[in-house]
Amino acid sequence: MANALLNLSIENNVSITQKYLEPGHTQMEYDSVHAAIEKKLKNREIHNPIDYINVTKEARKKPTPYEAIHVDYNLVKDYSDKSTWRYNFIRPGRKAGDPVVVSLRAIKYTPDSDGTMSYKISFDDEWTELPVRPKKLSSISYSNSHAAPIPIASTKLNHLQ
């Protein structure tokens, strides 16, 4: 995901900051969104997964309804191709005792010459560039994860019916 965000940063010439929650401080703006959707779902029957899109849109009227996007197989890309990775890892340290990936509190993706990633171990820290240089890549395109909808077993389909 980190490489995909860096490539997005470069492609759109924007800086992206990704923040990780600190343990014990997990309340986010989206908690209220989920609460509003759950409230709307109460005492309501869902017959089809697409019904969740309608419930999401109905969960808020003002200032505007929530936006819900129907995701299908065409929207899901394959980011596992290592030829699209500028960094093979995002560990901020190199040796034992140095910070590890789970120590990260923020990553900044910068669209400079080849795209760089900087990190913070604490939100109060200054940005520090990852100790690894990114690979130079030309234009990148991601393939779709699937060429068609993923089939489900007939027994499952019958059960769902």
Side-chain angles (χ1 to χ4, degrees):
M1 177 157 171
N3 282 291
L5 286 171
L6 180 58
N7 291 333
L8 179 70
S9 168
I10 294 167
E11 183 180 312
N12 292 294
N13 197 32
V14 296
S15 182
I16 298 171
T17 302
Q18 179 182 17
K19 296 180 180 178
Y20 295 94
L21 297 173
E22 291 193 49
H25 300 276
T26 58
Q27 185 169 352
M28 293 182 63
E29 169 187 345
Y30 292 103
D31 290 345
S32 64
V33 174
H34 288 277
I37 294 168
E38 284 179 19
K39 184 178 177 184
K40 201 68 177 174
L41 278 169
K42 204 171 207 168
N43 300 320
R44 186 153 179 179
E45 289 187 29
I46 299 294
H47 298 286
N48 195 329
I50 200 87
D51 292 344
Y52 284 108
I53 290 180
N54 296 328
V55 170
T56 300
K57 290 178 180 179
E58 294 170 9
R60 183 177 78 173
K61 299 286 184 208
K62 293 181 182 177
T64 58
Y66 292 130
E67 181 181 355
I69 300 170
H70 177 74
V71 177
D72 69 3
Y73 69 95
N74 288 312
L75 194 58
V76 180
K77 302 295 182 192
D78 179 10
Y79 299 104
S80 65
D81 180 5
K82 291 187 178 187
S83 70
T84 65
W85 294 9
R86 295 175 190 278
Y87 289 86
N88 287 327
F89 58 88
I90 60 170
R91 182 179 175 183
R94 291 180 174 235
K95 60 186 183 309
D98 282 352
V100 293
V101 174
V102 295
S103 306
L104 296 173
R105 289 295 162 249
I107 301 176
K108 183 164 63 172
Y109 306 93
T110 309
D112 50 18
S113 60
D114 292 316
T116 56
M117 284 192 236
S118 302
Y119 69 92
K120 288 185 178 186
I121 299 299
S122 168
F123 289 116
D124 296 329
D125 291 347
E126 295 295 319
W127 290 105
T128 305
E129 209 169 297
L130 281 177
V132 177
R133 294 189 187 268
K135 284 189 257 176
K136 295 179 191 229
L137 301 176
S138 55
S139 66
I140 295 170
S141 64
Y142 297 105
S143 60
N144 287 352
S145 286
H146 303 284
I150 300 170
I152 62 172
S154 58
T155 54
K156 184 179 244 181
L157 181 61
N158 290 337
H159 176 76
L160 291 169
Q161 298 301 323

